[in-house]
Amino acid sequence: MKRSTDRLLALAMLVVGVVCFAKLYPALGGKPLAPARLEVFGLAGVLSVLAGLLFLAGLLPGAAKHDPAAPLFGRDAEIAPAGHPRLRRAAFALPLLALIVIVADQFGPWRAPRANSEPAKETVTAPAQPAPRPSESKPERETSARPITPEVSVEPATAAPAQEEAATPALPEPATAPAQPMPPAASTPPPVQPAQSTELTALAPGTPAETVAPPPPAPPAQPTALEGHRDAVVWLAVSADGHEIMSASTDRMIKLWDVDGKRLIRDLGRQKDMARSALFMPDGKTALTAGDDGEIVLRQLSDGTVLHVFSSGANGGVRQLKISSDGKRAVSGHDTGSVVVWDLEKGEVLHVLPGHDWSVSSVAISPDGTRALTGSIDGELKLWDIVAGKQLRSWHGHDRGAYGAVFLADGHHAVTGSGDYTIKLWDLDTFKEVRRFDGHSGTVYALALSADGKRLGSVSLDGTARIWNMDTGAEIAEFDPGTGPIYSVAFAANGTLLTGGIDRTIRDWPAAGGDGTVLFAGAPE
């Protein structure tokens, strides 16, 4: 029994020694104790370990021969002395000394407060990243499969000329795609969710990743008005009677303007993310708007009341939206490459088409409302039967992204602009290029056809707007306000050309060429 007790005592001494050395371990990891405490725990640890070893050594059998008279069994055998008694006695004194040292260190009057015995912790804060300028896109999840976001769509990859690179607003681009010409991200506070609305969700693939292009240089100072847009004007639409203009901006606002009185009629509402499209419905009483938030909103023109909300769900942000001439259907192109056909009368989804491998950058609906032409940022064009929900043809129409698609009145021809700086007229029966309009030195971002179909208006990231003869392809007029990229274009009822761009203004240009005027100025920065 006694030998077992002695072994337990020896083990306890060794444990005390290990604990003392454990107190020294932080010193090895760069967090030293005070020098005095190092000595205390070092000494106590050495004494305890030594005591344990000596005690074990004292339990070893002695060198003397066994006494034959010593009892082998019974009580006397259990208490018979064994080993080296002197070593055992010495081992008893050492743990007492270690215990005294530790108690003195912990409770002695000379002990310094614990707070002073350890160095103060140091907090290192990384410098904050500078906030993005209004014209910059948020870096988000990019460089992979397919693209997403003026903050905006992206284009499959090739090196862009230096001139366009300097003019292009901050755009997300995939690692393998050409530079995406899109307007900058909105800088206004997040909008309030419409109070009363119904929601319809279409299912489709998830949103792709993006990269961010460098921001463009700041445009020259322009006239401003408090009611004007606070960021780039990326969409313009003219009412059927020609008296009103609707605009959408990266500031997320949709605005309704009086052309004759040159005044703002009202703010129609705000998208949750940057607004991209704003279209007058054929009834003249409502409008359909869409943006990067993935919502298509039916609004009342008289007061901006939200009548219905269509949500694109997993299809992602709405990059392009067009309405059939009878107002029964709408087609939306999304940043995931999906194409969605909507039944506006029933408020439901007709078709969700797999669409493109890259973000959709243009949509057009034929005059009879049965077909749609869509373009992607990789230059691919697709023709769809939107009644049956099937693809009719796909072809590579441009070397880079296809923008601003427009059907001609005959329904058998369409025009597309591109990141390869060209404008092409297509025969949709043979899918051959009929004519090319050359002249822009930057991405042709938007197109508009005059009411008589004889003139084509185009705007580009090269900062110019142009009017073309549709029959010959000749340039009729060129306009250069010197204010940077232009993103939106429409023909006014009187035949003049309306443009909107990065300078936040809406300008009016004479049909035959010459100097334009600021129709509606942007808000002060």
Side-chain angles (χ1 to χ4, degrees):
M1 175 74 72
K2 185 171 183 61
R3 291 172 63 86
S4 299
T5 304
D6 289 345
R7 288 190 182 96
L8 290 175
L9 288 173
L11 180 61
M13 294 176 194
L14 289 174
V15 170
V16 172
V18 171
V19 170
C20 291
F21 283 121
K23 295 290 288 185
L24 301 178
Y25 180 75
L28 301 177
K31 300 178 180 179
L33 299 169
R37 306 205 74 197
L38 283 173
E39 296 172 1
V40 167
F41 286 108
L43 177 59
V46 170
L47 291 175
S48 297
V49 172
L50 182 58
L53 295 176
L54 288 175
F55 213 101
L56 288 175
L59 295 176
L60 295 175
K65 293 181 179 180
H66 178 68
D67 183 359
L72 295 177
F73 306 100
R75 179 178 174 80
D76 291 338
E78 294 178 1
I79 62 174
H84 303 275
R86 290 181 181 179
L87 289 177
R88 292 171 59 207
R89 284 194 293 272
F92 272 120
L94 292 176
L96 290 176
L97 289 175
L99 182 61
I100 292 171
V101 169
I102 293 174
V103 170
D105 175 69
Q106 293 294 320
F107 303 104
W110 55 82
R111 180 176 178 272
R114 178 174 293 272
N116 296 334
S117 64
E118 298 182 5
K121 294 182 180 179
E122 182 180 356
T123 301
V124 180
T125 304
Q129 218 172 355
R133 290 163 39 183
S135 61
E136 294 181 350
S137 299
K138 296 178 181 178
E140 334 191 359
R141 0 172 229 133
E142 303 220 288
T143 319
S144 69
R146 292 167 8 190
I148 35 189
T149 267
E151 242 188 7
V152 183
S153 31
V154 290
E155 261 194 65
T158 56
Q163 179 177 358
E164 179 177 357
E165 185 175 322
T168 304
L171 305 174
E173 298 176 11
T176 59
Q180 163 73 10
M182 299 296 289
S187 57
T188 55
V192 178
Q193 171 73 25
Q196 298 177 345
S197 64
T198 57
E199 184 171 307
L200 186 63
T201 300
L203 301 177
T207 305
E210 335 178 2
T211 53
V212 180
Q222 299 296 322
T224 58
L226 292 176
E227 69 272 11
H229 281 295
R230 298 184 177 277
D231 216 322
V233 178
V234 297
W235 189 273
L236 291 174
V238 179
S239 62
D241 60 13
H243 296 303
E244 296 174 345
I245 294 174
M246 190 160 44
S247 61
S249 167
T250 56
D251 66 7
R252 308 182 185 181
M253 292 300 301
I254 309 294
K255 292 179 179 286
L256 185 65
W257 307 89
D258 178 358
V259 176
D260 302 322
K262 294 186 178 180
R263 65 181 183 88
L264 176 69
I265 298 175
R266 68 181 54 88
D267 288 334
L268 285 180
R270 183 194 299 268
Q271 295 287 137
K272 294 177 183 176
D273 204 338
M274 72 166 288
R276 290 186 183 266
S277 302
L279 303 163
F280 287 98
M281 292 288 287
D283 62 10
K285 299 177 180 179
T286 54
L288 206 60
T289 68
D292 282 359
D293 54 13
E295 291 187 346
I296 300 174
V297 184
L298 182 64
R299 304 176 187 271
Q300 194 163 280
L301 289 174
S302 59
D303 55 9
T305 298
V306 173
L307 302 176
H308 196 84
V309 175
F310 302 84
S311 175
S312 59
N315 294 289
V318 181
R319 295 305 168 84
Q320 288 285 311
L321 176 69
K322 291 294 173 64
I323 303 172
S324 61
S325 57
D326 59 8
K328 294 181 178 180
R329 297 187 184 93
V331 177
S332 56
H334 299 263
D335 54 27
T336 58
S338 296
V339 176
V340 181
V341 183
W342 306 86
D343 186 324
L344 298 180
E345 291 184 318
K346 297 180 180 179
E348 63 183 21
V349 176
L350 286 178
H351 308 290
V352 177
L353 308 173
H356 297 266
D357 293 330
W358 295 86
S359 176
V360 177
S361 50
S362 59
V363 173
I365 298 180
S366 63
D368 64 3
T370 62
R371 294 177 298 159
L373 176 67
T374 61
S376 174
I377 60 172
D378 61 356
E380 183 181 43
L381 297 172
K382 290 179 181 287
L383 186 66
W384 306 90
D385 179 337
I386 60 175
V387 177
K390 65 179 182 179
Q391 178 178 297
L392 299 176
R393 182 67 179 263
S394 177
W395 73 101
H396 194 76
H398 293 277
D399 294 334
R400 298 179 67 185
Y403 300 93
V406 179
F407 267 94
L408 271 60
D410 62 8
H412 296 280
H413 294 81
V415 186
T416 57
S418 174
D420 61 16
Y421 308 167
T422 66
I423 301 170
K424 295 181 180 181
L425 172 64
W426 301 97
D427 184 330
L428 298 181
D429 295 327
T430 63
F431 301 98
K432 300 294 184 181
E433 178 184 330
V434 175
R435 184 172 298 115
R436 184 174 299 196
F437 305 79
D438 288 315
H440 282 293
S441 58
T443 294
V444 180
Y445 195 69
L447 299 173
L449 199 62
S450 62
D452 58 10
K454 295 182 178 180
R455 294 177 301 145
L456 178 72
S458 64
V459 292
S460 168
L461 300 187
D462 64 10
T464 68
R466 300 171 194 245
I467 299 177
W468 309 86
N469 185 310
M470 280 298 300
D471 294 329
T472 65
E475 182 181 296
I476 297 173
E478 176 184 350
F479 311 105
D480 185 358
T483 54
I486 305 177
Y487 301 121
S488 52
V489 62
F491 276 99
N494 61 1
T496 61
L497 195 68
L498 306 172
T499 62
I502 196 171
D503 64 351
R504 312 185 308 284
T505 65
I506 300 172
R507 296 174 184 269
D508 189 13
W509 303 93
D515 295 332
T517 59
V518 174
L519 194 58
F520 303 110
E525 291 184 335

